[in-house]
Amino acid sequence: MIAVRNLSVTYRSSEREKRAVLGVDLAVERGRMVALAGESGSGKSTVLMAIPGLLPATAATSGEILLDGRDLLTCSEAELNAVRWRRIALVPQGAMNSFTPVLTVGRHVEEVLEVHLGLSKREARERIPALFALAGLDGGLAARYPHELSGGQKQRSAIALALACNPEYLLCDEPTTALDVVTQRDIVVTLRRLVDEQGVGMLLVSHDLPLAASVADRLCIMKDGRLVEEGEPRTVVDHPGNPHTRALVGALRELEEAP
Amino acid sequence: MRRRTLTRRWSFWCLVLLAALALFGGRLFSAPPDAEVAAPFSKPFWLDRSLPPTVTADLTPDAPSAEIPWSWGAPSRFFVAADMVADAPGRTILWTKPGGRTVEIAPLKKGVERDGRDMAFKRALGLPPFADGAASLLDERGTYRLSVDGQGPWEGTVRLRLDGGRWGLFGTDQRGRDIAALFVAGIRVSLLVGIMATLIATALGTTVGLAAGYLGGWFDSAAMRLVDLLLSIPMLPILMALAAIWGKGLWQLVLILSIFSWMGTARTVRAMTLSLRDTAYIEDLRGIGAPTAYILRRHLLPETLPLLLATMTLGVPGAILSEAGLSFLGLSDPRVISWGRMLHEAQTFGTFTAGAWWMLLPPGLGIAVLCLAFLDMGKYLEERTDPRLRGGALS
Amino acid sequence: MRSYWARRVGSSVLILALVLVLNFVLFRMMPGDPVASIVDPKFSPEAKARLMEVYGLDKPMLTQFALYVKSSLSFDFGISFLTGRPVADELRSRVPNTVALLGSSLLLSALLGTWLGIQAARKRGGALERLVLWGGALSYSFPSFFFQLMLLMVFAAAIPIFPLRGSLSVPPPLGGAALFLDYVWHLALPVLSQVLLGFGGWALYVRNLMVKILGEDFILMARGRGLPERRVLRGHAFRMLLPPLLTILLLSLPGVVSGAVLTETVFSLHGVGRFLMEAVTGHDYPAAGASFFLLALLTVASTLASDLLYGVTDPRVRLERGRGR
Ligand SMILES: Nc1ncnc2c1ncn2[C@@H]1O[C@H](COP(=O)(O)OP(=O)(O)OP(=O)(O)O)[C@@H](O)[C@H]1O
Ligand SMILES: [Mg+2]
């Protein structure tokens, strides 16, 4: 289990100080999907990136991030490298930049297989079609360079890459933003299947409240760095306890009823 | 961010100093820069204090004797020459040693010259042919005296020169010319060639860039193609060939350098023109039927001018280095003193065998400092026109 | 995908054509008798007449140009005024020396500069970064030949550990290994000087690029995938650096060739550059034209090579229409 306890993050620069996350508590268990929603700039990505220790050097963190009881915040870079990808993988926001432009998508997958599972190049290559199929992609795309893929294909490749080492936990940062509705659905269904069939524990960050509510087992709402609401998705959406959540849900209702 | 003003830049003061030296520096020296003032390869005066310095003295009817304090070994050369209007019978040039012994050097006649190395002079002094005349004339320490003795009128100057091994701030070159004087004379050439060549190149580049950017079409693609091509050919060999064919004069050099260094400016100006061309106000001008030439001259040119000034300043070091390179290769007018030429002569005439490193340092460091100053100045101007660049690594 | 290679080769051919035209025009632009630029005025009238016929100097300009292009491309450059031997023979012994000087100094300064630049980018604000910044500025403003003269002064004249001049000792030592060592000994100072002058620019450029690359998301993500630091640097950051590195190699080539002319002159090396320089001062026009042509050819060929390599290292350009450089 990943347990985030009282996490606070402050970005420091010479000019200003930005308290991006304030005392957030969160738990992600295997085989369950937790959705984290909230308006832009509320600190969702910051929480997600803090878990594998990927915040920039300018970010000061406090609190605990426990992976089966071990605090990741106090781990060294080498210890983190043993956890990253093999146990906790991530699909970053806007997968566009997560691939190195001069390497093929398949090469990225081969590399993590070689490094983390000690496979030979050939063994690694043989696993690619199955991984790509898992993410709903044709294995032939592995030979392409990132710029030769569409946004949706890139997003799915990022999922395939994240699944390469059979991680226990998957952190997805807005994996469906900027995609059409059909593709969004498809990807969300793929993710849900991973949780149900492979027993992956998933943290899904999204600001699409209805979408998040429809797939997740638990829904958390963030506002200005604080967790303002947490519970069963339907309860949160239908009976929001917090004025902010109420406003968020209300705005969505209005949008739906507008046409 | 710290506000940097022009007068706070080292390069500004450096350039002012060099410009002042170029304009008025000649007055610091009594002789013209190509005069032979001391023994060849004399060291700078501060270098080796045990070496005798180079001493000169002039005698005139108003000051018919001169005292020469001497506390070193023998000089390498003893030389006296009389520059007279007419012979002065009855008068002689006398050399008095510290102990009081006098030696008659020569009768005071028109055009008489005595050199410690001359056979006839040595014989007249009663020395064996292989003796060193200068050594026997200066064999003591103390105050010597050179004087015009005897009776009768005389008019003219008697000059004495004792070549020690030291001269001036920077010593002398292979011909005994004062390196400090040559150095100062060289500033002028470097500045002149650097600035003139860049000015002409900028004018050329601006014209091409404005035309290419504004007109577009085939002219644009042809011009940019040419720029690409010229930038991918090694420049120095072309410059060398041109210098050999067109002659080595200063103005030819300026022309050659400018013909082959307009490409960068053309590119910059074209890019700027392109971005300005489609702004609303230029389009309005076109809409009311303003002629192309008018728009270019009255609106686009002034807009690009500040940037142009910076580009130009940054271009000067290139021209200076090219000029120095060509001169160093011996492809410049031998009568024109320049820093590159000085380095050429240093290499050709045995700085290495003579160990005369002082021939290398002044011109070489001069070029480097001048180029750095222009680079710094250019960076400053660039920052003034484009605030985004402020706080660059070396500013 | 074909069009990228075709465009690159096409542009090289165009440059070469320009060089040929330039060369032709330059040496026929001479004041006075154009014949004097190709046939030594000292030759006997019969020899002159024969040479004039060989070069087609009595024919119209266009025919002359065609003849000239044909002979240039077949490396037939005529007879040197100074030595009286075929220019091609003179050049044949010098080209390898120039290539050795250029190749080794370019390679070493690129390696040293790249390494320093990467280190400086990794440890921002350190002493190494300051060294790189200043080295870069100096290498743009320091007259190369002055620096080389100083090196000669110190390491060949004052402390004689390197030779003052030449590509080989006179007489050259016997035996392969001894000969090779002697050659390397003579080449050491020229190469060292070019490296010291060249690495600063490289380092500065690499540092700026690397600072940018290390700040990119895909580097953060490579770290996020638990890849070891070395792998992130080599497999990802350096891999991204490679294409622009080739670009700067490409852009610096003409300047480096110009520098080689000066270097060969300072160190009196037996190379094309010094041959050009002697030809130019000695008004040996066939030799000067031929060396200029060869130096340009060398530049164009290496430019094409690095251009093609660029296409291999960066998959993105092969698809683009034309590359904005
Ligand atoms: N590297 C950084 N340096 C300084 N401030 C940062 C940095 N990254 C994020 N922030 C600030 O921290 C706050 C939280 O950012 P975060 O990216 O976590 O938001 P988010 O909830 O993911 O928003 P979005 O939905 O737009 O992705 C924002 O106000 C942002 O401006
Ligand atoms: Mg985010």
Side-chain angles (χ1 to χ4, degrees):
Chain A
M1 186 173 83
I2 300 177
V4 176
R5 297 265 163 80
N6 195 21
L7 178 73
S8 295
V9 180
T10 308
Y11 290 109
R12 289 215 172 85
S13 70
S14 52
E15 291 118 50
R16 64 182 144 266
E17 202 164 275
K18 169 77 193 173
R19 289 150 75 84
V21 175
L22 286 159
V24 165
D25 291 288
L26 204 71
V28 183
E29 286 162 70
R30 299 202 56 180
R32 309 233 326 143
M33 184 190 279
V34 179
L36 188 57
E39 60 184 32
S40 195
S42 56
K44 306 181 298 289
S45 298
T46 306
V47 170
L48 183 131
M49 295 301 269
I51 295 173
L54 288 178
L55 291 177
T58 53
T61 49
S62 68
E64 288 176 325
I65 295 171
L66 302 173
L67 173 65
D68 296 338
R70 184 148 139 257
D71 189 0
L72 295 181
L73 283 181
T74 59
C75 279
S76 70
E77 198 66 10
E79 287 167 326
L80 279 175
N81 276 345
V83 170
R84 287 171 182 162
W85 233 249
R86 216 173 325 174
R87 301 193 60 192
I88 303 177
L90 107 128
V91 178
Q93 183 169 14
M96 350 277 288
N97 296 332
S98 71
F99 293 104
T100 304
V102 288
L103 303 178
T104 61
V105 184
R107 180 68 207 131
H108 287 79
V109 181
E110 284 168 27
E111 188 177 31
V112 286
L113 289 173
E114 286 165 27
V115 168
H116 291 301
L117 306 184
L119 299 189
S120 73
K121 220 171 203 138
R122 237 198 46 234
E123 290 168 329
R125 197 161 296 154
E126 280 163 5
R127 288 213 189 172
I128 288 180
L131 277 171
F132 271 53
L134 209 57
L137 272 182
D138 176 42
L141 293 181
R144 299 234 188 134
Y145 289 95
H147 70 276
E148 297 170 327
L149 296 176
S150 76
Q153 288 169 331
K154 221 177 281 180
Q155 200 62 259
R156 287 174 188 276
S157 313
I159 295 174
L161 175 58
L163 295 176
C165 304
N166 271 323
E168 297 160 27
Y169 301 94
L170 194 55
L171 315 174
C172 298
D173 197 350
E174 307 194 14
T176 59
T177 324
L179 297 177
D180 65 276
V181 190
V182 182
T183 318
Q184 277 191 12
R185 261 289 142 206
D186 275 3
I187 288 186
V188 170
V189 168
T190 309
L191 292 178
R192 183 70 229 184
R193 237 195 0 249
L194 285 171
V195 175
D196 294 337
E197 293 169 11
Q198 320 251 329
V200 173
M202 185 166 307
L203 178 65
L204 175 71
V205 166
S206 172
H207 44 218
D208 187 342
L209 198 53
L211 192 82
S214 66
V215 288
D217 302 310
R218 263 190 110 61
L219 179 59
C220 307
I221 310 282
M222 274 186 85
K223 156 89 175 157
D224 292 340
R226 289 178 205 280
L227 216 57
V228 291
E229 188 97 45
E230 187 186 1
E232 284 290 308
R234 287 259 58 95
T235 332
V236 172
V237 174
D238 293 341
H239 313 283
N242 181 285
H244 170 67
T245 322
R246 223 169 294 149
L248 205 66
V249 175
L252 280 165
R253 290 269 153 78
E254 268 170 42
L255 269 179
E256 277 164 13
E257 284 156 16
Chain B
M1 189 129 317
R2 206 152 32 120
R3 180 105 185 95
R4 292 256 191 172
T5 48
L6 188 60
T7 46
R8 295 264 299 274
R9 296 295 270 231
W10 69 267
S11 53
F12 174 74
W13 292 110
C14 183
L15 288 176
V16 166
L17 178 74
L18 284 172
L21 270 178
L23 286 176
F24 310 112
R27 307 212 180 141
L28 297 175
F29 305 94
S30 52
D34 50 358
E36 292 160 28
V37 291
F41 300 120
S42 292
K43 290 182 180 172
F45 78 87
W46 41 266
L47 189 64
D48 184 356
R49 298 241 166 217
S50 66
L51 270 179
T54 300
V55 172
T56 56
D58 287 358
L59 305 184
T60 56
D62 296 332
S65 79
E67 306 216 317
I68 296 131
W70 192 261
S71 52
W72 299 275
S76 61
R77 184 174 176 219
F78 176 98
F79 182 74
V80 170
D83 182 11
M84 304 289 295
V85 177
D87 290 352
R91 287 213 176 243
T92 50
I93 305 171
L94 270 192
W95 180 246
T96 315
K97 293 193 179 182
R101 264 185 343 108
T102 56
V103 180
E104 192 182 312
I105 303 289
L108 190 56
K109 281 193 186 153
K110 204 178 160 183
V112 76
E113 273 186 17
R114 289 291 182 269
D115 188 320
R117 294 172 300 199
D118 283 351
M119 274 310 168
F121 185 44
K122 279 191 247 182
R123 213 171 313 122
L125 291 175
L127 294 171
F130 297 111
D132 182 351
S136 89
L137 284 168
L138 285 115
D139 52 2
E140 296 169 45
R141 298 200 171 185
T143 304
Y144 290 84
R145 205 153 68 92
L146 183 78
S147 55
V148 171
D149 199 42
Q151 299 295 319
W154 65 288
E155 204 177 332
T157 323
V158 175
R159 297 216 148 83
L160 166 78
R161 208 175 94 192
L162 301 173
D163 282 350
R166 293 198 273 148
W167 174 266
L169 195 56
F170 296 148
T172 64
D173 70 358
Q174 81 285 352
R175 272 166 53 192
R177 293 177 299 182
D178 185 351
I179 291 185
L182 293 172
F183 174 82
V184 167
I187 300 175
R188 200 180 299 206
V189 174
S190 285
L191 279 178
L192 190 74
V193 172
I195 293 175
M196 283 313 292
T198 320
L199 270 180
I200 299 177
T202 308
L204 251 166
T206 311
T207 315
V208 175
L210 275 178
Y214 191 79
L215 300 177
W218 68 267
F219 182 80
D220 183 28
S221 39
M224 286 306 110
R225 199 74 226 180
L226 185 67
V227 165
D228 276 347
L229 292 184
L230 283 178
L231 281 177
S232 45
I233 304 175
M235 228 11 80
L236 190 67
I238 302 187
L239 298 181
M240 287 167 68
L242 272 178
I245 290 167
W246 282 7
K248 299 172 167 184
L250 207 55
W251 290 108
Q252 277 102 317
L253 203 61
V254 167
L255 213 61
I256 291 168
L257 287 179
S258 42
I259 288 180
F260 286 98
S261 42
W262 54 271
M263 291 86 75
T265 318
R267 247 192 205 167
T268 322
V269 172
R270 172 181 171 271
M272 243 186 114
T273 312
L274 274 181
S275 68
L276 286 172
R277 186 178 67 171
D278 300 325
T279 54
Y281 104 100
I282 298 283
E283 250 160 30
D284 287 349
L285 279 175
R286 250 192 314 225
I288 59 170
T292 306
Y294 173 82
I295 296 179
L296 282 178
R297 202 178 60 240
R298 296 303 297 272
H299 294 276
L300 286 180
L301 191 59
E303 291 270 341
T304 47
L305 221 50
L307 179 75
L308 220 55
L309 194 65
T311 327
M312 212 160 73
T313 316
L314 288 173
V316 173
I320 291 178
L321 285 178
S322 297
E323 184 274 333
L326 283 177
S327 308
F328 169 71
L329 290 174
L331 295 171
S332 70
D333 188 343
R335 290 161 305 179
V336 176
I337 296 157
S338 74
W339 286 343
R341 187 87 210 165
M342 286 168 77
L343 288 171
H344 170 72
E345 297 192 352
Q347 198 212 2
T348 334
F349 299 105
T351 5
F352 299 123
T353 37
W357 53 264
W358 54 88
M359 285 176 74
L360 286 179
L361 275 185
L365 288 180
I367 296 169
V369 167
L370 192 58
C371 288
L372 267 178
F374 270 107
L375 274 183
D376 188 68
M377 192 51 24
K379 274 218 181 92
Y380 168 77
L381 292 172
E382 212 173 43
E383 281 167 21
R384 292 282 305 252
T385 50
D386 188 351
R388 274 172 311 168
L389 293 172
R390 251 175 228 154
L394 287 168
S395 58
Chain C
M1 215 173 258
R2 264 248 310 287
S3 79
Y4 172 78
W5 312 118
R7 246 193 344 264
R8 293 291 111 203
V9 175
S11 132
S12 301
V13 171
L14 210 63
I15 295 173
L16 212 59
L18 181 85
V19 167
L20 281 171
V21 172
L22 211 67
N23 217 353
F24 182 78
V25 174
L26 274 186
F27 289 97
R28 273 165 185 74
M29 229 166 42
M30 303 250 322
D33 185 9
V35 176
S37 69
I38 293 148
V39 181
D40 193 334
K42 294 194 297 279
F43 287 173
S44 70
E46 304 87 68
K48 250 189 200 172
R50 218 191 47 212
L51 280 170
M52 289 212 7
E53 212 186 303
V54 171
Y55 293 117
L57 288 179
D58 43 357
K59 302 212 176 67
M61 270 298 173
L62 222 57
T63 326
Q64 281 190 41
F65 183 64
L67 269 173
Y68 161 77
V69 169
K70 196 172 142 245
S71 58
S72 287
L73 292 182
S74 54
F75 297 106
D76 170 16
F77 301 116
I79 310 288
S80 162
F81 292 179
L82 287 178
T83 62
R85 299 205 305 138
V87 173
D89 291 353
E90 294 280 350
L91 282 171
R92 196 164 299 133
S93 66
R94 290 165 206 258
V95 170
N97 290 332
T98 300
V99 171
L101 171 70
L102 276 177
S104 51
S105 51
L106 207 55
L107 187 76
L108 287 177
S109 52
L111 285 180
L112 181 66
T114 307
W115 184 79
L116 276 176
I118 292 176
Q119 298 311 317
R122 287 183 59 194
K123 300 191 187 74
R124 303 284 311 273
L128 207 64
E129 189 176 36
R130 268 202 301 284
L131 171 85
V132 164
L133 292 173
W134 275 104
L138 279 183
S139 73
Y140 290 124
S141 56
F142 227 65
S144 62
F145 49 92
F146 166 60
F147 179 69
Q148 293 170 333
L149 287 173
M150 290 307 296
L151 277 186
L152 267 185
M153 194 79 198
V154 176
F155 294 111
I159 316 164
I161 43 177
F162 287 108
L164 257 178
R165 48 188 298 111
S167 283
L168 281 176
S169 298
V170 186
L174 296 173
L179 197 68
F180 178 73
L181 282 180
D182 189 59
Y183 186 73
V184 170
W185 183 54
H186 278 77
L187 205 59
L189 209 51
V191 169
L192 182 76
S193 68
Q194 293 230 44
V195 170
L196 286 178
L197 283 165
F199 85 88
W202 278 91
L204 192 58
Y205 184 81
V206 169
R207 174 223 168 241
N208 291 344
L209 273 174
M210 202 63 183
V211 164
K212 212 171 130 245
I213 291 174
L214 288 178
E216 297 267 9
D217 284 348
F218 58 80
I219 294 296
L220 180 70
M221 281 311 298
R223 296 220 166 92
R225 289 198 292 278
L227 303 179
E229 182 67 11
R230 277 175 90 193
R231 197 161 185 123
V232 174
L233 280 181
R234 288 194 192 163
H236 295 262
F238 185 71
R239 227 1 228 92
M240 277 305 281
L241 188 67
L242 217 51
L245 218 56
L246 282 168
T247 309
I248 193 177
L249 176 74
L250 201 115
L251 292 178
S252 69
L253 273 170
V256 170
V257 171
S258 288
V261 175
L262 284 167
T263 305
E264 285 180 3
T265 311
V266 172
F267 293 97
S268 312
L269 298 180
H270 187 73
V272 181
R274 195 166 69 103
F275 188 63
L276 169 69
M277 151 57 206
E278 282 167 357
V280 164
T281 32
H283 299 275
D284 185 350
Y285 296 108
S291 352
F292 173 53
F293 176 71
L294 267 193
L295 286 177
L297 192 67
L298 206 65
T299 319
V300 173
S302 13
T303 305
L304 181 63
S306 44
D307 233 345
L308 296 182
L309 260 179
Y310 187 99
V312 174
T313 53
D314 193 341
R316 286 168 299 183
V317 301
R318 290 191 295 242
L319 290 170
E320 277 169 22
R321 323 225 111 250
R323 196 166 100 232
R325 258 210 266 123

